[in-house]
Amino acid sequence: MTTALSNPLREGLRLERTSKPLILTIFGASGDLTARKLMPALYELSRDRRLPAEFTVVGFARRPWSTEEFRERMKEGVSQFARGKIGSPQLWENFVRGIYYFEGDLEDQQSYVQLADFLNKLDGERGTRGNRAFYLSTAPSYFKPIIENLGQAGLSGDVHNTRIVIEKPFGRDLTTAQGLNGVVQNVFREKQVYRIDHYLGKETVQNLLVFRFANAIFEPIWNHNYVDHVQITVAETVGVENRAPYYDEAGGALRDMVQNHLMQLLALTAMEPPAAFEADTVRDEKVKVLRATSLARTGALYHAVRGQYTGGWIAGEPVPAYQSEPRVVSQAQTASYIAAKFWIQNWRWEGVPFYLRTGKRLPKRVSEIALQFRKVPHQLFPSNSSNQINPNVLVLRIQPDEGISLRFEAKRPVADVSMRSVNMDFRYGNTFEVATPEAYERLLLDCLLGDQTLFTRADEVEAAWRVVMPIIEHWENGSAQDLTFYEAGSWGPSAASKLMESGRQWRRL
Ligand code: BG6
């Protein structure tokens, strides 16, 4: 039993990525995430034979559902959201046989005592040998009671047989994140804890590490000697959808996107090469670079802009203003757009600004990391308005249209020396003709296998909070009346362009 869930990388199981028998208990199983993401991902894994026959899921929620009813609902979720179709009824039957529902109250200790009995009984029936993973997919206010109740019910297990997965948001600020880490660490060892940032599960985000550290030609120029600046963009066309209560409470894009997803992209782009591809060596480097990162400031001026969308048009359709979205509280000051400039104060990046922006209701769904290189040191060719030498740009396209492109100058095939920017392009879709797995497939599998590399460690989540705290404090101290507005379908508030200096511009995507 002690080896059942040990680190697959050390055991040389890299190629044979199949989990050991285990029961995954999902708290908050009646919520959206379970039907939309978790079950479809588990079904894909089971279809790919990545899950053992004994694999079992227990959905824990308060609603008075039966196991049959829960299974039906999960079937609807999988039919609607899985990458492939449900396929043969036999496949579904095999999968659904391992799904159970447990009606319980997240805050009632008695529910956990009963859950422990239920899991023990299932161990006997399903052959899961006491191996457990607990997935917290609830509102964050329940994280503490769930963790404490698991501890009191004797369900915290040990590093070999029990794991806990915690969804975002991990805290509301540095203090609450530290508090939550304390709660978690009172009950679980850090090696049992899997804090989710689903961006780390995206193939293209993982490819950043391969691109940087499996190629010899990029690393020598990946520094302040060659890079002028870096732009990280995560643009969405969707609005706040039906999530206004969470989003307003979180205070919008800074907590929802910047503290987690964009900080992870920055860390992977800027970190030093780890000595080995192992969970702690990779995460050590991310922590180091996050600790060197800070928001740009000039005296009392913070180089950050926040905005909220007004009504507008996207893809030819009218869309409402943030203030008119369902369940938004009247006069909400929530920012759906953030742009900010950061410095990384270390040997590699001194003097290279990192510009980050993210927003909802922008004209296009596109996420990318762009490194713009310095200008040529000497203008050899005649330069005029129709013959400009543009700097080289390396773009890592995260989604959609995943790929990598390098922009460089080329001579036009005409008599004089006239030039134009052209692209060298790699596209995932054309090169690897297989469907890209969903982020949750990779993350769930890694958790079941005991590989923490793509999950954020306690000190890492705190380091990311430390970076954004000055902006949170500045915007929340009441005196900062600087919420700007932008029309839905535009590229955000015009104030964002003022963050750029020295002739730099946001990329037109
Ligand atoms: C989530 C945020 O973490 O990420 C959402 O809460 C956002 O507001 C989503 O829409 C974006 O994820 P993706 O995978 O669609 O880029």
Side-chain angles (χ1 to χ4, degrees):
M1 176 119 59
T2 49
T3 57
L5 297 174
S6 50
N7 188 333
L9 297 182
R10 294 218 177 75
E11 290 176 16
L13 289 177
R14 248 181 231 265
L15 298 176
E16 219 29 76
R17 290 173 62 84
T18 307
S19 150
K20 297 286 188 270
L22 163 149
I23 307 177
L24 172 69
T25 302
I26 303 174
F27 293 103
S30 55
D32 235 24
L33 189 79
T34 309
R36 267 175 184 262
K37 297 285 185 190
L38 304 183
M39 275 308 165
L42 290 170
Y43 186 61
E44 296 290 355
L45 289 174
S46 136
R47 198 210 310 257
D48 289 351
R49 297 178 210 273
R50 296 296 183 87
L51 301 179
E54 301 88 344
F55 179 76
T56 304
V57 180
V58 172
F60 181 118
R62 201 201 299 247
R63 302 204 189 160
W65 290 346
S66 64
T67 283
E68 269 324 302
E69 205 171 343
F70 185 59
R71 288 177 176 177
E72 260 323 293
R73 286 175 190 268
M74 294 305 110
K75 189 172 184 184
E76 281 165 30
V78 172
S79 317
Q80 207 178 335
F81 300 110
R83 278 191 292 128
K85 297 257 172 293
I86 281 217
S88 84
Q90 192 54 45
L91 267 178
W92 176 255
E93 275 314 309
N94 287 344
F95 177 70
V96 83
R97 215 176 291 143
I99 298 181
Y100 297 82
Y101 184 73
F102 183 90
E103 183 187 335
D105 181 342
L106 294 169
E107 291 176 299
D108 177 10
Q109 170 52 205
Q110 208 38 42
S111 287
Y112 294 78
V113 174
Q114 287 158 3
L115 176 70
D117 288 344
F118 185 58
L119 296 180
N120 287 337
K121 181 171 133 265
L122 283 181
D123 274 339
E125 287 171 16
R126 306 267 316 156
T128 37
R129 308 180 209 162
N131 293 324
R132 320 245 185 270
F134 297 104
Y135 198 115
L136 273 51
S137 166
T138 63
S141 56
Y142 290 113
F143 292 173
K144 184 169 185 271
I146 297 173
I147 293 164
E148 289 175 345
N149 279 323
L150 283 172
Q152 279 167 25
L155 283 168
S156 56
D158 60 40
V159 284
H160 301 295
N161 64 17
T162 303
R163 303 194 177 124
I164 179 153
V165 188
I166 307 177
E167 263 296 334
K168 60 165 276 220
F170 197 90
R172 272 204 102 242
D173 52 25
L174 178 59
T175 312
T176 48
Q178 286 167 328
L180 184 53
N181 274 332
V183 169
V184 174
Q185 286 160 353
N186 273 341
V187 178
F188 294 97
R189 305 265 300 276
E190 183 61 30
K191 286 256 176 278
Q192 297 177 273
V193 186
Y194 292 72
R195 295 175 192 78
I196 291 242
D197 183 316
H198 81 279
Y199 265 56
L200 292 176
K202 290 183 191 273
E203 280 290 318
T204 37
V205 173
Q206 292 160 46
N207 188 46
L208 243 165
L209 292 178
V210 176
F211 182 78
R212 287 192 59 196
F213 304 129
N215 294 296
I217 61 171
F218 303 111
E219 208 45 32
I221 55 169
W222 208 267
N223 57 52
H224 69 105
N225 291 318
Y226 296 92
V227 178
D228 176 76
H229 73 275
V230 178
Q231 290 188 27
I232 301 181
T233 302
V234 177
E236 300 184 273
T237 50
V238 291
V240 67
E241 299 178 289
N242 209 16
R243 300 162 66 224
Y246 148 75
Y247 198 74
D248 278 338
E249 154 67 19
L254 193 63
R255 290 191 177 89
D256 186 47
M257 299 293 287
V258 181
Q259 183 273 338
N260 37 64
H261 308 326
L262 278 89
M263 279 300 140
Q264 286 296 331
L265 297 181
L266 176 143
L268 292 170
T269 308
M271 73 187 206
E272 294 302 313
F277 189 50
E278 281 171 5
D280 279 331
T281 36
V282 171
R283 298 186 297 177
D284 286 346
E285 295 305 334
K286 286 201 281 169
V287 171
K288 274 193 234 165
V289 79
L290 286 170
R291 287 195 179 143
T293 304
S294 58
L295 177 69
R297 276 177 72 171
T298 311
L301 176 73
Y302 288 71
H303 295 255
V305 168
R306 57 178 177 153
Q308 188 186 80
Y309 58 84
T310 58
W313 293 77
I314 293 195
E317 298 287 331
V319 293
Y322 183 83
Q323 302 276 342
S324 314
E325 296 276 19
R327 302 158 78 201
V328 167
V329 291
S330 126
Q331 307 294 315
Q333 296 289 296
T334 311
S336 52
Y337 176 98
I338 304 276
K341 175 178 160 188
F342 294 89
W343 293 119
I344 299 178
Q345 273 144 336
N346 65 14
W347 194 280
R348 185 187 287 265
W349 294 115
E350 195 61 41
V352 180
F354 278 67
Y355 299 100
L356 273 49
R357 63 176 163 168
T358 181
K360 293 196 184 287
R361 290 285 192 227
L362 299 185
K364 217 172 156 184
R365 176 173 184 254
V366 51
S367 300
E368 61 154 55
I369 299 165
L371 282 82
Q372 180 163 321
F373 291 89
R374 287 180 183 276
K375 293 192 185 121
V376 289
H378 171 64
Q379 284 274 10
L380 177 62
F381 302 106
S383 168
N384 54 45
S385 56
S386 62
N387 205 24
Q388 292 267 335
I389 302 187
N390 293 307
N392 301 127
V393 184
L394 178 71
V395 181
L396 304 147
R397 292 192 305 271
I398 291 163
Q399 64 188 22
D401 187 24
E402 294 84 354
I404 294 170
S405 67
L406 179 64
R407 185 179 82 181
F408 57 95
E409 298 301 279
K411 182 183 174 313
R412 284 181 212 250
V414 290
D416 60 350
V417 185
S418 156
M419 60 195 92
R420 207 190 87 185
S421 301
V422 293
N423 279 319
M424 227 155 51
D425 217 359
F426 151 71
R427 282 160 191 262
Y428 259 88
N430 296 351
T431 308
F432 304 104
E433 290 168 343
V434 291
T436 312
E438 282 287 322
Y440 276 97
E441 290 171 43
R442 173 64 194 261
L443 294 176
L444 280 165
L445 183 61
D446 278 7
C447 167
L448 302 180
L449 291 166
D451 183 349
Q452 289 180 305
T453 313
L454 300 178
F455 296 84
T456 37
R457 209 168 56 189
D459 53 348
E460 186 180 353
V461 92
E462 291 177 17
W465 275 117
R466 242 179 230 110
V467 177
V468 299
M469 280 319 291
I471 331 184
I472 293 186
E473 282 159 7
H474 177 61
W475 281 336
E476 290 186 355
N477 74 5
S479 61
Q481 298 300 320
D482 47 11
L483 181 69
T484 55
F485 292 88
Y486 62 100
E487 200 179 321
S490 74
W491 275 107
S494 54
S497 58
K498 297 205 189 97
L499 292 177
M500 295 288 186
E501 64 295 278
S502 317
R504 295 176 184 128
Q505 284 180 345
W506 288 110
R507 281 169 47 74
R508 287 165 57 171
L509 303 174

